[in-house]
Amino acid sequence: MKIQQVIRDNRLELLFQQGSFGIEKESQRVHADGSIVVTEHPKCFGSRSYHPYIQTDFAESQLELITPPNKKIEDSLRWLSAIHEVVLRSLPEDEFVFPLSMPAGLPPEDQIKVAQLENPADVAYREHLVASYGKNKQMVSGIHYNFQLDPTFIQQLFAGQNTYQSAVDFQNDLYLKVARNFLRYQWILVYLLAATPTVDANYFRNGTPLKVGQYVRSLRSSRYGYVNDPSVKVSYDSLNDYVNTLEHAVNSGQLIAEKEFYSNVRLRGAKQARELLQNGIQYLEFRLFDLNPFEAYGIALNDAKFVHYFILLMAWLDEESLESAVELGKEKLAQVAWENPLSATAFQAEGERILQQLLAMLTEIHADEEMESIVKEKLAQFADPSQTLGARLVNAIEAHGGYQKLGAELAIRYKKQAFERFYALSAFDNMELSTQALMFDAIQKGLKMEILDERDQFLSLQFGDHLEYVKNGNMTSHDSYISPLIMENKVVTKKVLAKAGFNVPQSVEFTSVEQAVANYALFAGRAVVIKPKSTNYGLGISIFQQGVYDREDFAKAIEIAFREDKEVMVEDYLTGTEYRFFVLGDETLAVLLRVPANVIGDGVHTVAELVAQKNDHLLRGDGSRTPLKKIALGDIEQLQLKEQGLTVDSVPAKDQLVQLRANSNISTGGDSIDMTDQMHPSYKALAVGITKAMGAAVCGVDLIIPDLTKPAEPSLQSWGVIEANFNPMMMMHIFPYAGQSRRVTQNVLKMLFPELK
């Protein structure tokens, strides 16, 4: 099948480069010294009977991490990163993920426990493998790279040729061509990307074949890796031949099941090979790849891109003779796998020729210049083997005194990296932290998740046939449409709550700065709060808790509020402490004391310097990518300092509390302190009642309470409600500045999926 001309004639160059990508990565859980653990698969990952992302391969210790298919390889690696971070942060403190493919520190075989899956047939299959191969050989890990050509490309390619009458036959033969060519030239990828140069002697059943000090390119791709007996012959000449020879291998007892066929290319699209004859090959699974230990997630993005275009080249190239080419490819693979990683390969000329053809293809299909650079870098590695991954790994093993030591050090480093921003999913860092926290929990528990709109924080979550949509972490179908509209409007909120019998402070509304300032005399000397009618994150709020005595300060605060809305409220300031109640359904799950932005004097540093010191805290940042926000020194803060007779250049006395804001929002630099256990239950019940009055399933209720230990009474002297918030921030409860973490995102998932184990 020659496709180059059809691509040129029909201008399919861009479409040719599209596709779907999925990654499956196996890794061993290990102790800090790199030796394999014998503990069970962690229960925090839910059931393996349905988990879409976190499975076990052969043994209980062997994680298999699976990305969903994505249209961009970059997105598959983002998913792989996110799944890794979930795993590393969920594992026990003394467990790590080993970054090398060959197992180190193997326990005695009788202590290696095959994966205890819920389906007895799956366990029985693994026990059969033990009898056939032994346990050690199956502890080898690697990367499986799944790739599908864009279906529209295949359709247009079919339409542009006149050899085939059947679209299914055409698609099958196209994928078979890719498979055959890949098997013919797979040795090139082993030369460039292999990373299994050695293993402990106890890995082998009958003594090590490695001489003292000997390194090879890829034990995993050699006959000592996890490979079938050479007598197993499956033909790629046609789909019929593939199906018949594979079934023969099973029926004759050479294989216990079709999935025991460990070819470096598998034809995918059906559970049983025979179904492919009707359904057609949908995608290919490439199983060749060793883990790259220098990458935290086992594969480099540039290498993943290189593999993509290498696969495309396998479709682009004309073919040699069929079966003989596949067998020749296997022979070359075996020879290259056993070469010294520091030496040139015996097939250097062929490798350089194929990569030159890859460069020519890139030019023809107008690929990005970046791809040309990646391929040229790989091409140079034929002349300089020391730059290959295998050679770099050998040098690192030598420098660290053994591959287990190197693997252990890297495993510890990668786990530490996963905790650097422990409140975020690095790969999805442009999303809100509350959404990231919900995504973390969904991945951990095994809910199938799709990001519908990344910028708009829109997710779909699925368990079996049960589908839910979530926006911004806690906006769901459980809320009524009117709830956010009520809570968005502070005037309406107060009227609804007053009708329902809840304590609300008195307020006056204004529609212009002039109108508000003209009424200054109504508020002179009174403690008031000035805020926009519709506001969020505490924007535009000024509080005069000692009373407002300066008409200019009042006018300035009014002006600040009008920057955020067309209508402004001046409200009585309630005496007491403000608390945020996070309510879900019939329960208050968390109570937070949000201390307004402040610093404590030390008698040495200025207010500005104290603010800079406090802003260095691990949780503080821009407030969108961090749970807490850095304290600003803007107009409102300077007004607040003026009330205390201070400026940013003042040096407060030792232990002097300096208020920089009167409103307690975390989004304006406040501190978050968990008070759930200290809060009297009567206030928690009030918060639930207020949530129901709002018609909400999830609500953030702000109460002013003078004494949280005394039961609530029906007067403003006992308590008052100042706000009800739709889509309340969850991160401040999960990662408070002080006090116990409350993982409220898990409660959101339980509300949506009560059937989830």
Side-chain angles (χ1 to χ4, degrees):
M1 182 189 296
K2 296 186 177 184
I3 68 169
Q4 298 178 21
Q5 198 59 48
V6 185
I7 290 174
R8 290 187 198 104
D9 292 347
N10 294 275
R11 297 183 178 176
L12 300 178
E13 292 89 353
L14 186 59
L15 205 51
F16 179 44
Q17 298 172 64
Q18 310 303 308
S20 287
F21 306 85
I23 301 288
E24 300 166 45
K25 176 189 178 275
E26 305 145 351
S27 303
Q28 292 288 350
R29 289 184 292 119
V30 295
H31 298 293
D33 67 353
S35 61
I36 293 171
V37 304
V38 292
T39 54
E40 293 179 347
H41 182 70
K43 287 188 168 54
C44 61
F45 298 131
S47 172
R48 287 168 280 183
S49 64
Y50 58 74
H51 209 302
Y53 310 119
I54 304 168
Q55 287 286 337
T56 39
D57 194 72
F58 166 72
E60 281 289 282
S61 62
Q62 192 173 29
L63 292 163
E64 183 175 15
L65 309 184
I66 306 159
T67 75
N70 292 279
K71 297 295 183 188
K72 294 181 178 177
I73 188 64
E74 290 91 340
D75 287 335
S76 289
L77 292 196
R78 290 173 78 200
W79 269 94
L80 190 61
S81 157
I83 297 166
H84 261 92
E85 288 185 352
V86 170
V87 166
L88 288 167
R89 293 180 204 158
S90 304
L91 289 180
E93 194 176 333
D94 59 350
E95 284 191 14
F96 304 84
V97 173
F98 200 59
L100 287 148
S101 284
M102 298 310 287
L106 277 161
E109 278 212 14
D110 61 348
Q111 289 184 32
I112 297 174
K113 196 170 190 177
V114 301
Q116 299 300 294
L117 304 173
E118 290 180 23
N119 184 347
D122 290 332
V123 181
Y125 170 67
R126 284 164 171 77
E127 294 293 358
H128 159 80
L129 298 178
V130 171
S132 299
Y133 303 91
K135 289 182 176 178
N136 289 354
K137 192 171 268 197
Q138 287 162 103
M139 302 294 274
V140 177
S141 299
I143 294 254
H144 297 180
Y145 188 112
N146 298 304
F147 177 67
Q148 178 189 52
L149 289 159
D150 190 298
T152 306
F153 165 73
I154 296 176
Q155 289 166 14
Q156 293 195 21
L157 197 65
F158 172 69
Q161 56 81 53
N162 49 28
T163 308
Y164 287 81
Q165 302 306 306
S166 161
V168 174
D169 289 346
F170 176 80
Q171 179 165 311
N172 289 339
D173 281 0
L174 177 58
Y175 275 123
L176 279 165
K177 176 192 175 185
V178 172
R180 287 190 297 263
N181 269 346
F182 185 90
L183 291 170
R184 168 65 182 84
Y185 296 114
Q186 60 185 330
W187 71 263
I188 292 172
L189 296 175
V190 167
Y191 172 80
L192 294 168
L193 302 175
T196 47
T198 187
V199 73
D200 291 338
N202 68 349
Y203 166 80
F204 300 99
R205 270 184 163 175
N206 304 307
T208 176
L210 294 170
K211 300 184 181 75
V212 176
Q214 182 186 3
Y215 291 105
V216 298
R217 288 202 202 282
S218 182
L219 276 167
R220 184 170 167 274
S221 292
S222 77
R223 64 191 180 97
Y224 299 103
Y226 193 17
V227 293
N228 296 123
D229 187 276
S231 64
V232 176
K233 302 282 187 187
V234 175
S235 172
Y236 285 82
D237 280 3
S238 70
L239 187 53
N240 267 314
D241 288 347
Y242 178 85
V243 171
N244 291 332
T245 52
L246 182 53
E247 287 182 343
H248 172 74
V250 174
N251 295 335
S252 65
Q254 287 181 296
L255 304 174
I256 191 176
E258 290 180 2
K259 61 183 176 182
E260 196 192 339
F261 177 48
Y262 300 129
S263 170
N264 282 337
V265 185
R266 276 180 175 164
L267 313 183
R268 290 303 206 177
K271 287 190 174 178
Q272 297 295 317
R274 186 155 291 278
E275 294 170 23
L276 292 171
L277 295 171
Q278 280 189 315
N279 303 341
I281 302 166
Q282 300 302 310
Y283 68 97
L284 299 176
E285 177 188 13
F286 301 94
R287 308 173 71 255
L288 179 76
F289 305 101
D290 297 344
L291 299 178
N292 180 343
F294 303 120
E295 294 291 328
Y297 314 124
I299 183 169
L301 176 59
N302 279 0
D303 289 346
K305 289 179 176 179
F306 175 75
V307 171
H308 170 210
Y309 281 85
F310 185 88
I311 293 167
L312 294 184
L313 180 68
M314 299 303 100
W316 179 267
L317 288 177
D318 294 336
E319 275 196 283
E320 300 172 28
S321 61
L322 297 181
E323 195 57 45
S324 59
V326 170
E327 288 307 312
L328 177 60
K330 288 179 182 175
E331 289 168 17
K332 290 193 172 186
L333 174 71
Q335 186 173 332
V336 171
W338 210 250
E339 289 174 339
N340 183 327
L342 300 167
S343 67
T345 176
F347 310 117
Q348 178 179 344
E350 180 176 270
E352 290 174 340
R353 174 174 62 82
I354 294 298
L355 290 203
Q356 289 290 0
Q357 288 179 284
L358 177 49
L359 285 171
M361 181 193 81
L362 294 179
T363 302
E364 287 251 13
I365 63 174
H366 316 299
D368 290 343
E369 287 181 13
E370 180 201 23
M371 269 319 302
E372 189 179 331
S373 300
I374 291 170
V375 175
K376 283 180 176 175
E377 188 180 289
K378 298 297 184 198
L379 180 58
Q381 291 176 18
F382 278 101
D384 184 3
S386 70
Q387 297 304 306
T388 61
L389 176 56
R392 287 165 49 218
L393 178 55
V394 166
N395 291 331
I397 289 169
E398 288 288 314
H400 284 78
Y403 84 102
Q404 182 172 331
K405 284 185 179 177
L406 171 66
E409 184 182 304
L410 291 172
I412 292 168
R413 181 192 304 171
Y414 295 148
K415 183 165 181 175
K416 187 179 177 185
Q417 283 175 8
F419 278 90
E420 280 175 5
R421 298 185 67 251
F422 52 88
Y423 45 78
L425 283 178
S426 307
F428 297 102
D429 215 9
N430 55 323
M431 301 179 80
E432 285 182 354
L433 285 173
S434 291
T435 304
Q436 292 180 51
L438 190 83
M439 290 169 68
F440 182 104
D441 293 339
I443 291 171
Q444 186 191 63
K445 301 302 176 195
L447 285 168
K448 189 177 179 185
M449 178 171 61
E450 184 182 350
I451 301 170
L452 300 174
D453 189 321
E454 194 163 324
R455 184 172 291 180
D456 210 28
Q457 321 291 316
F458 234 120
L459 308 176
S460 77
L461 300 173
Q462 189 168 357
F463 183 69
D465 295 329
H466 180 178
L467 180 66
E468 294 279 355
Y469 298 101
V470 184
K471 187 179 184 317
N472 297 93
N474 59 34
M475 297 165 72
T476 73
S477 60
H478 287 239
D479 287 299
S480 66
Y481 177 75
I482 200 70
S483 297
L485 303 178
I486 292 172
M487 286 186 266
E488 193 174 68
N489 186 313
K490 305 304 176 193
V491 175
V492 173
T493 298
K494 289 181 67 177
K495 289 178 178 176
V496 169
L497 291 175
K499 273 180 186 289
F502 294 102
N503 299 340
V504 291
Q506 297 301 306
S507 67
V508 183
E509 294 88 46
F510 298 102
T511 53
S512 72
V513 174
E514 295 74 22
Q515 181 193 19
V517 174
N519 282 273
Y520 168 69
L522 289 176
F523 311 107
R526 283 170 59 186
V528 295
V529 180
I530 298 170
K531 60 184 176 183
K533 183 179 79 171
S534 303
T535 186
N536 214 339
Y537 309 116
L539 297 173
I541 295 177
S542 298
I543 300 176
F544 294 89
Q545 58 194 85
Q546 307 302 323
V548 58
Y549 294 101
D550 186 316
R551 188 186 183 96
E552 282 186 25
D553 288 349
F554 180 81
K556 179 76 172 173
I558 290 287
E559 182 201 324
I560 289 168
F562 269 110
R563 289 177 197 167
E564 304 298 332
D565 202 353
K566 294 175 183 173
E567 197 167 337
V568 159
M569 303 163 64
V570 182
E571 183 176 88
D572 283 339
Y573 175 76
L574 296 183
T575 303
T577 304
E578 182 184 339
Y579 298 93
R580 161 61 63 87
F581 292 70
F582 185 93
V583 180
L584 187 147
D586 295 322
E587 188 181 359
T588 292
L589 297 174
V591 181
L592 206 69
L593 168 61
R594 295 175 300 168
V595 180
N598 68 87
V599 289
I600 308 290
D602 61 4
V604 177
H605 295 93
T606 65
V607 170
E609 289 167 341
L610 292 168
V611 166
Q613 288 172 13
K614 191 164 186 177
N615 282 344
D616 276 343
H617 190 277
L618 195 63
L619 293 176
R620 289 196 190 273
D622 64 3
S624 62
R625 296 177 71 251
T626 53
L628 297 175
K629 191 173 174 72
K630 288 182 185 289
I631 300 167
L633 287 173
D635 291 345
I636 294 176
E637 287 81 7
Q638 300 204 39
L639 264 178
Q640 195 68 34
L641 285 170
K642 184 180 175 184
E643 270 201 51
Q644 300 161 85
L646 300 169
T647 71
V648 293
D649 298 318
S650 302
V651 177
K654 191 172 189 320
D655 299 327
Q656 179 185 349
L657 175 66
V658 178
Q659 294 283 10
L660 293 157
R661 278 268 183 165
N663 67 297
S664 56
N665 298 68
I666 301 305
S667 54
T668 54
D671 300 334
S672 53
I673 301 167
D674 180 72
M675 302 293 286
T676 311
D677 295 335
Q678 292 90 325
M679 181 60 64
H680 193 278
S682 59
Y683 300 106
K684 296 179 184 178
L686 276 170
V688 171
I690 289 164
T691 298
K692 290 190 183 305
M694 293 289 100
V698 178
C699 187
V701 177
D702 294 339
L703 298 183
I704 295 285
I705 304 170
D707 188 343
L708 82 167
T709 63
K710 291 181 180 175
E713 295 176 10
S715 76
L716 276 169
Q717 282 67 49
S718 173
W719 63 274
V721 54
I722 55 171
E723 260 186 24
N725 297 274
F726 189 68
N727 187 219
M729 188 189 293
M730 296 188 286
M731 218 56 186
M732 59 189 180
H733 299 291
I734 300 172
F735 295 108
Y737 187 67
Q740 187 177 329
S741 167
R742 311 282 171 176
R743 191 88 195 181
V744 292
T745 41
Q746 291 186 357
N747 299 88
V748 173
L749 293 180
K750 284 177 190 170
M751 173 184 77
L752 296 174
F753 298 95
E755 72 275 27
L756 186 66
K757 290 180 186 176

